[in-house]
Amino acid sequence: MRMHINPASPFARKVRIVAREAGLAPRPEEIETAVSPVAPNADLAGANPLMKIPALTLDDGSTLYDSRVIAEYLDALGGARLFPSSGAQRWAALRLQALCDGILDAAVLTRYECAVRPQPLRWDDWIAGQRRKIDGALAAMAREHGAWGDQFGIGQIAAACALGYLDFRFPDIDWRAAHPGLKTWFARVSERSSMCDTMPPA
Ligand code: BEZ
């Protein structure tokens, strides 16, 4: 298996963590891939016509995307321990993943708006709207993280990727001051080898 990833992408980080937490051996070969909202990448388009990472190419040549599908596929290969199989626990885990992926959608779009889009075309109200989504989702995460205990399933993996990406690209968002419980939780899970192995580049 080959997986298109970018070390800076939080969605790629999620599936890279899943591959490690699921104990896959061997893990998918990681193909470092450049992505841009404005420059096409023909190699990536062969694996995912949306030209988004991560994209997983299986040994039979078929491909899987997006990160949610890949994460569940890799977990199934590893014995299905990171996604609850059914019932209320499954819906809670998938909803938490959706919440945290939503933080990432807003944060990555904002990153593109601020780092790629030409300054005269930037839209401050739109950026503020994305920030409100991030703040609201962080508050929701903070309200519920007390029930997570020692779990590190797909919901918590997505949460760790969201907080890690905010640290990486938005150090001005002081989520630790607003949510000290999340600060403690993130410090603890950041020690896992899956998290250390997949730290975004400095
Ligand atoms: C980033 O550099 O922040 C980034 C790279 C790839 C995908 C998403 C974000």
PDB file of all heavy atoms in Angstrom, residues 119-141:
ATOM      1  N   GLN A 119      -2.968  39.293  -0.640  1.00  0.00           N
ATOM      2  CA  GLN A 119      -3.463  40.185   0.430  1.00  0.00           C
ATOM      3  C   GLN A 119      -4.683  41.027   0.021  1.00  0.00           C
ATOM      4  O   GLN A 119      -5.673  41.070   0.779  1.00  0.00           O
ATOM      5  CB  GLN A 119      -2.297  41.080   0.883  1.00  0.00           C
ATOM      6  CG  GLN A 119      -2.667  42.243   1.774  1.00  0.00           C
ATOM      7  CD  GLN A 119      -2.962  41.790   3.206  1.00  0.00           C
ATOM      8  OE1 GLN A 119      -2.157  41.105   3.827  1.00  0.00           O
ATOM      9  NE2 GLN A 119      -4.115  42.165   3.712  1.00  0.00           N
ATOM     10  N   PRO A 120      -4.690  41.655  -1.146  1.00  0.00           N
ATOM     11  CA  PRO A 120      -5.844  42.521  -1.451  1.00  0.00           C
ATOM     12  C   PRO A 120      -7.153  41.736  -1.570  1.00  0.00           C
ATOM     13  O   PRO A 120      -8.235  42.330  -1.506  1.00  0.00           O
ATOM     14  CB  PRO A 120      -5.486  43.149  -2.811  1.00  0.00           C
ATOM     15  CG  PRO A 120      -4.043  42.877  -3.021  1.00  0.00           C
ATOM     16  CD  PRO A 120      -3.666  41.696  -2.193  1.00  0.00           C
ATOM     17  N   LEU A 121      -7.069  40.424  -1.775  1.00  0.00           N
ATOM     18  CA  LEU A 121      -8.292  39.625  -1.950  1.00  0.00           C
ATOM     19  C   LEU A 121      -8.769  38.992  -0.644  1.00  0.00           C
ATOM     20  O   LEU A 121      -9.800  38.320  -0.620  1.00  0.00           O
ATOM     21  CB  LEU A 121      -8.047  38.510  -2.987  1.00  0.00           C
ATOM     22  CG  LEU A 121      -7.633  38.978  -4.382  1.00  0.00           C
ATOM     23  CD1 LEU A 121      -7.400  37.778  -5.296  1.00  0.00           C
ATOM     24  CD2 LEU A 121      -8.704  39.894  -4.968  1.00  0.00           C
ATOM     25  N   ARG A 122      -8.030  39.198   0.428  1.00  0.00           N
ATOM     26  CA  ARG A 122      -8.420  38.539   1.688  1.00  0.00           C
ATOM     27  C   ARG A 122      -9.686  39.159   2.264  1.00  0.00           C
ATOM     28  O   ARG A 122      -9.915  40.354   2.123  1.00  0.00           O
ATOM     29  CB  ARG A 122      -7.275  38.636   2.701  1.00  0.00           C
ATOM     30  CG  ARG A 122      -6.231  37.612   2.374  1.00  0.00           C
ATOM     31  CD  ARG A 122      -5.081  37.625   3.356  1.00  0.00           C
ATOM     32  NE  ARG A 122      -3.903  37.145   2.629  1.00  0.00           N
ATOM     33  CZ  ARG A 122      -2.659  37.404   2.922  1.00  0.00           C
ATOM     34  NH1 ARG A 122      -2.371  38.147   3.976  1.00  0.00           N
ATOM     35  NH2 ARG A 122      -1.680  36.929   2.202  1.00  0.00           N
ATOM     36  N   TRP A 123     -10.464  38.322   2.946  1.00  0.00           N
ATOM     37  CA  TRP A 123     -11.784  38.737   3.422  1.00  0.00           C
ATOM     38  C   TRP A 123     -11.822  38.525   4.934  1.00  0.00           C
ATOM     39  O   TRP A 123     -11.992  37.414   5.413  1.00  0.00           O
ATOM     40  CB  TRP A 123     -12.840  37.893   2.706  1.00  0.00           C
ATOM     41  CG  TRP A 123     -14.240  38.274   2.972  1.00  0.00           C
ATOM     42  CD1 TRP A 123     -14.702  39.370   3.641  1.00  0.00           C
ATOM     43  CD2 TRP A 123     -15.402  37.537   2.571  1.00  0.00           C
ATOM     44  NE1 TRP A 123     -16.062  39.366   3.683  1.00  0.00           N
ATOM     45  CE2 TRP A 123     -16.530  38.262   3.040  1.00  0.00           C
ATOM     46  CE3 TRP A 123     -15.599  36.358   1.876  1.00  0.00           C
ATOM     47  CZ2 TRP A 123     -17.831  37.813   2.816  1.00  0.00           C
ATOM     48  CZ3 TRP A 123     -16.898  35.923   1.657  1.00  0.00           C
ATOM     49  CH2 TRP A 123     -17.992  36.630   2.111  1.00  0.00           C
ATOM     50  N   ASP A 124     -11.700  39.629   5.661  1.00  0.00           N
ATOM     51  CA  ASP A 124     -11.580  39.544   7.126  1.00  0.00           C
ATOM     52  C   ASP A 124     -12.826  38.947   7.781  1.00  0.00           C
ATOM     53  O   ASP A 124     -12.719  38.188   8.755  1.00  0.00           O
ATOM     54  CB  ASP A 124     -11.300  40.927   7.719  1.00  0.00           C
ATOM     55  CG  ASP A 124      -9.880  41.386   7.404  1.00  0.00           C
ATOM     56  OD1 ASP A 124      -9.050  40.522   7.051  1.00  0.00           O
ATOM     57  OD2 ASP A 124      -9.609  42.601   7.496  1.00  0.00           O
ATOM     58  N   ASP A 125     -14.009  39.276   7.258  1.00  0.00           N
ATOM     59  CA  ASP A 125     -15.243  38.737   7.866  1.00  0.00           C
ATOM     60  C   ASP A 125     -15.310  37.219   7.707  1.00  0.00           C
ATOM     61  O   ASP A 125     -15.795  36.505   8.583  1.00  0.00           O
ATOM     62  CB  ASP A 125     -16.496  39.351   7.226  1.00  0.00           C
ATOM     63  CG  ASP A 125     -16.674  40.805   7.635  1.00  0.00           C
ATOM     64  OD1 ASP A 125     -15.970  41.240   8.572  1.00  0.00           O
ATOM     65  OD2 ASP A 125     -17.500  41.496   7.026  1.00  0.00           O
ATOM     66  N   TRP A 126     -14.823  36.748   6.569  1.00  0.00           N
ATOM     67  CA  TRP A 126     -14.821  35.291   6.337  1.00  0.00           C
ATOM     68  C   TRP A 126     -13.841  34.622   7.308  1.00  0.00           C
ATOM     69  O   TRP A 126     -14.160  33.583   7.909  1.00  0.00           O
ATOM     70  CB  TRP A 126     -14.422  35.009   4.888  1.00  0.00           C
ATOM     71  CG  TRP A 126     -14.452  33.552   4.524  1.00  0.00           C
ATOM     72  CD1 TRP A 126     -15.496  32.851   4.014  1.00  0.00           C
ATOM     73  CD2 TRP A 126     -13.365  32.622   4.659  1.00  0.00           C
ATOM     74  NE1 TRP A 126     -15.140  31.534   3.833  1.00  0.00           N
ATOM     75  CE2 TRP A 126     -13.844  31.368   4.217  1.00  0.00           C
ATOM     76  CE3 TRP A 126     -12.054  32.727   5.106  1.00  0.00           C
ATOM     77  CZ2 TRP A 126     -13.040  30.234   4.201  1.00  0.00           C
ATOM     78  CZ3 TRP A 126     -11.251  31.590   5.106  1.00  0.00           C
ATOM     79  CH2 TRP A 126     -11.746  30.372   4.646  1.00  0.00           C
ATOM     80  N   ILE A 127     -12.671  35.233   7.476  1.00  0.00           N
ATOM     81  CA  ILE A 127     -11.684  34.687   8.416  1.00  0.00           C
ATOM     82  C   ILE A 127     -12.272  34.663   9.832  1.00  0.00           C
ATOM     83  O   ILE A 127     -12.145  33.668  10.559  1.00  0.00           O
ATOM     84  CB  ILE A 127     -10.371  35.513   8.371  1.00  0.00           C
ATOM     85  CG1 ILE A 127      -9.707  35.348   6.997  1.00  0.00           C
ATOM     86  CG2 ILE A 127      -9.419  35.106   9.488  1.00  0.00           C
ATOM     87  CD1 ILE A 127      -8.540  36.291   6.740  1.00  0.00           C
ATOM     88  N   ALA A 128     -12.979  35.742  10.197  1.00  0.00           N
ATOM     89  CA  ALA A 128     -13.586  35.794  11.542  1.00  0.00           C
ATOM     90  C   ALA A 128     -14.655  34.708  11.676  1.00  0.00           C
ATOM     91  O   ALA A 128     -14.810  34.096  12.752  1.00  0.00           O
ATOM     92  CB  ALA A 128     -14.187  37.177  11.791  1.00  0.00           C
ATOM     93  N   GLY A 129     -15.376  34.439  10.601  1.00  0.00           N
ATOM     94  CA  GLY A 129     -16.395  33.382  10.641  1.00  0.00           C
ATOM     95  C   GLY A 129     -15.775  32.019  10.866  1.00  0.00           C
ATOM     96  O   GLY A 129     -16.295  31.193  11.632  1.00  0.00           O
ATOM     97  N   GLN A 130     -14.655  31.749  10.211  1.00  0.00           N
ATOM     98  CA  GLN A 130     -13.960  30.469  10.422  1.00  0.00           C
ATOM     99  C   GLN A 130     -13.456  30.374  11.858  1.00  0.00           C
ATOM    100  O   GLN A 130     -13.518  29.321  12.486  1.00  0.00           O
ATOM    101  CB  GLN A 130     -12.793  30.315   9.431  1.00  0.00           C
ATOM    102  CG  GLN A 130     -13.197  30.315   7.968  1.00  0.00           C
ATOM    103  CD  GLN A 130     -14.230  29.251   7.628  1.00  0.00           C
ATOM    104  OE1 GLN A 130     -14.127  28.110   8.061  1.00  0.00           O
ATOM    105  NE2 GLN A 130     -15.243  29.628   6.868  1.00  0.00           N
ATOM    106  N   ARG A 131     -12.970  31.492  12.386  1.00  0.00           N
ATOM    107  CA  ARG A 131     -12.455  31.500  13.757  1.00  0.00           C
ATOM    108  C   ARG A 131     -13.571  31.183  14.761  1.00  0.00           C
ATOM    109  O   ARG A 131     -13.370  30.477  15.752  1.00  0.00           O
ATOM    110  CB  ARG A 131     -11.803  32.858  14.035  1.00  0.00           C
ATOM    111  CG  ARG A 131     -11.310  33.065  15.447  1.00  0.00           C
ATOM    112  CD  ARG A 131     -10.204  32.058  15.818  1.00  0.00           C
ATOM    113  NE  ARG A 131      -9.970  32.044  17.244  1.00  0.00           N
ATOM    114  CZ  ARG A 131      -9.054  32.792  17.861  1.00  0.00           C
ATOM    115  NH1 ARG A 131      -8.263  33.581  17.163  1.00  0.00           N
ATOM    116  NH2 ARG A 131      -8.912  32.737  19.161  1.00  0.00           N
ATOM    117  N   ARG A 132     -14.780  31.698  14.478  1.00  0.00           N
ATOM    118  CA  ARG A 132     -15.907  31.391  15.366  1.00  0.00           C
ATOM    119  C   ARG A 132     -16.200  29.886  15.378  1.00  0.00           C
ATOM    120  O   ARG A 132     -16.522  29.304  16.415  1.00  0.00           O
ATOM    121  CB  ARG A 132     -17.166  32.166  14.945  1.00  0.00           C
ATOM    122  CG  ARG A 132     -17.216  33.587  15.483  1.00  0.00           C
ATOM    123  CD  ARG A 132     -18.591  34.209  15.292  1.00  0.00           C
ATOM    124  NE  ARG A 132     -18.922  34.400  13.876  1.00  0.00           N
ATOM    125  CZ  ARG A 132     -18.548  35.449  13.149  1.00  0.00           C
ATOM    126  NH1 ARG A 132     -17.827  36.411  13.704  1.00  0.00           N
ATOM    127  NH2 ARG A 132     -18.889  35.553  11.883  1.00  0.00           N
ATOM    128  N   LYS A 133     -16.098  29.263  14.201  1.00  0.00           N
ATOM    129  CA  LYS A 133     -16.325  27.806  14.150  1.00  0.00           C
ATOM    130  C   LYS A 133     -15.279  27.086  15.007  1.00  0.00           C
ATOM    131  O   LYS A 133     -15.590  26.141  15.743  1.00  0.00           O
ATOM    132  CB  LYS A 133     -16.222  27.297  12.705  1.00  0.00           C
ATOM    133  CG  LYS A 133     -17.331  27.753  11.777  1.00  0.00           C
ATOM    134  CD  LYS A 133     -17.034  27.245  10.368  1.00  0.00           C
ATOM    135  CE  LYS A 133     -17.817  27.977   9.309  1.00  0.00           C
ATOM    136  NZ  LYS A 133     -19.191  27.552   9.185  1.00  0.00           N
ATOM    137  N   ILE A 134     -14.030  27.501  14.871  1.00  0.00           N
ATOM    138  CA  ILE A 134     -12.954  26.865  15.641  1.00  0.00           C
ATOM    139  C   ILE A 134     -13.207  27.038  17.141  1.00  0.00           C
ATOM    140  O   ILE A 134     -13.136  26.082  17.920  1.00  0.00           O
ATOM    141  CB  ILE A 134     -11.585  27.462  15.234  1.00  0.00           C
ATOM    142  CG1 ILE A 134     -11.252  27.068  13.786  1.00  0.00           C
ATOM    143  CG2 ILE A 134     -10.488  27.020  16.194  1.00  0.00           C
ATOM    144  CD1 ILE A 134     -10.037  27.775  13.197  1.00  0.00           C
ATOM    145  N   ASP A 135     -13.546  28.275  17.541  1.00  0.00           N
ATOM    146  CA  ASP A 135     -13.752  28.540  18.975  1.00  0.00           C
ATOM    147  C   ASP A 135     -14.932  27.739  19.519  1.00  0.00           C
ATOM    148  O   ASP A 135     -14.870  27.181  20.627  1.00  0.00           O
ATOM    149  CB  ASP A 135     -13.982  30.043  19.207  1.00  0.00           C
ATOM    150  CG  ASP A 135     -12.707  30.846  19.005  1.00  0.00           C
ATOM    151  OD1 ASP A 135     -11.619  30.246  18.997  1.00  0.00           O
ATOM    152  OD2 ASP A 135     -12.806  32.082  18.845  1.00  0.00           O
ATOM    153  N   GLY A 136     -16.006  27.665  18.737  1.00  0.00           N
ATOM    154  CA  GLY A 136     -17.186  26.918  19.186  1.00  0.00           C
ATOM    155  C   GLY A 136     -16.886  25.430  19.322  1.00  0.00           C
ATOM    156  O   GLY A 136     -17.315  24.778  20.283  1.00  0.00           O
ATOM    157  N   ALA A 137     -16.144  24.906  18.372  1.00  0.00           N
ATOM    158  CA  ALA A 137     -15.822  23.472  18.407  1.00  0.00           C
ATOM    159  C   ALA A 137     -14.846  23.164  19.547  1.00  0.00           C
ATOM    160  O   ALA A 137     -14.956  22.112  20.202  1.00  0.00           O
ATOM    161  CB  ALA A 137     -15.247  23.030  17.064  1.00  0.00           C
ATOM    162  N   LEU A 138     -13.897  24.073  19.806  1.00  0.00           N
ATOM    163  CA  LEU A 138     -12.976  23.865  20.938  1.00  0.00           C
ATOM    164  C   LEU A 138     -13.761  23.839  22.251  1.00  0.00           C
ATOM    165  O   LEU A 138     -13.494  23.007  23.135  1.00  0.00           O
ATOM    166  CB  LEU A 138     -11.932  24.989  20.996  1.00  0.00           C
ATOM    167  CG  LEU A 138     -10.797  24.930  19.975  1.00  0.00           C
ATOM    168  CD1 LEU A 138      -9.987  26.229  20.022  1.00  0.00           C
ATOM    169  CD2 LEU A 138      -9.885  23.728  20.240  1.00  0.00           C
ATOM    170  N   ALA A 139     -14.744  24.731  22.361  1.00  0.00           N
ATOM    171  CA  ALA A 139     -15.545  24.774  23.596  1.00  0.00           C
ATOM    172  C   ALA A 139     -16.322  23.470  23.754  1.00  0.00           C
ATOM    173  O   ALA A 139     -16.428  22.923  24.863  1.00  0.00           O
ATOM    174  CB  ALA A 139     -16.489  25.982  23.564  1.00  0.00           C
ATOM    175  N   ALA A 140     -16.845  22.939  22.643  1.00  0.00           N
ATOM    176  CA  ALA A 140     -17.579  21.664  22.714  1.00  0.00           C
ATOM    177  C   ALA A 140     -16.647  20.539  23.126  1.00  0.00           C
ATOM    178  O   ALA A 140     -16.982  19.692  23.964  1.00  0.00           O
ATOM    179  CB  ALA A 140     -18.225  21.367  21.358  1.00  0.00           C
ATOM    180  N   MET A 141     -15.447  20.532  22.549  1.00  0.00           N
ATOM    181  CA  MET A 141     -14.452  19.512  22.911  1.00  0.00           C
ATOM    182  C   MET A 141     -14.122  19.596  24.405  1.00  0.00           C
ATOM    183  O   MET A 141     -14.036  18.584  25.097  1.00  0.00           O
ATOM    184  CB  MET A 141     -13.166  19.797  22.121  1.00  0.00           C
ATOM    185  CG  MET A 141     -12.567  18.622  21.412  1.00  0.00           C
ATOM    186  SD  MET A 141     -10.831  18.949  21.078  1.00  0.00           S
ATOM    187  CE  MET A 141     -10.891  19.761  19.559  1.00  0.00           C
TER     188      MET A 141
END
